[in-house]
Amino acid sequence: MRIYELMFVVDPRVSDDDLVSLTDDVKKLLEAGGGSVPRQESLGRRRLAYPINKTTEGKYVLLYVTTDGSNPLPEVELRMKQNDKILRYLTVRTDREQDIVEAVEEDGEAEGEG
C-alpha cells in the first residue's frame, strides 16, 4: 500500500460551496482510479509565499490518499492542471518517510540494548 499527501491551493474568490464540490470531485476521481481518501483537511484561507496570477491568498485543501496497486494520481493531476480554479497542487509520497522513521527507531533500540 502506498500513502500520499495531495495538497492543492484554490483561488480565494471561489465560494465555500464550490470548494466543497471541487474537493468532492477530486475525491471521486481518486476513488474511481482505485484509491481512497481516509482523511481530508481544509486548512482555510492563507497568504501565498508569492503572487500567483496577481493573487496573494488562496484556500488550502489537504487530502491523504492511499492506493493499492493502481495509481490514480496522474489522471487527477492532469485534471487539476486543466482546472482554472486550482492555482497550485503538490503530491508527496509519504510511506517511504514512515519506513525510514521506523528503521531509524529500530536501529536506535538495537543500539540501546547492546
Side-chain angles (χ1 to χ4, degrees), residues 68-82:
D68 287 323
S70 64
N71 188 358
L73 291 169
E75 175 67 25
V76 172
E77 289 177 348
L78 176 66
R79 298 287 174 98
M80 291 179 131
K81 192 182 295 186
Q82 295 171 346

Side-chain angles (χ1 to χ4, degrees), residues 14-21 59:
V14 172
S15 69
D16 290 337
D17 294 334
D18 288 342
L19 180 63
V20 170
S21 67
K59 295 180 180 180

Side-chain angles (χ1 to χ4, degrees), residues 19-72:
L19 180 63
V20 170
S21 67
L22 180 64
T23 304
D24 288 341
D25 290 343
V26 171
K27 285 172 54 176
K28 286 178 186 174
L29 281 171
L30 288 166
E31 290 168 357
S36 65
V37 182
R39 196 171 93 185
Q40 76 178 43
E41 294 180 25
S42 179
L43 303 176
R45 190 179 186 128
R46 295 182 177 218
R47 186 166 181 80
L48 300 174
Y50 55 90
I52 301 172
N53 298 333
K54 299 182 182 178
T55 304
T56 57
E57 292 184 337
K59 295 180 180 180
Y60 286 69
V61 177
L62 176 62
L63 301 176
Y64 295 92
V65 181
T66 59
T67 62
D68 287 323
S70 64
N71 188 358

Side-chain angles (χ1 to χ4, degrees), residues 84-96:
D84 293 335
K85 295 177 186 176
I86 298 177
L87 300 175
R88 291 285 189 273
Y89 64 89
L90 179 67
T91 306
V92 179
R93 183 174 169 187
T94 58
D95 60 343
R96 288 184 185 165

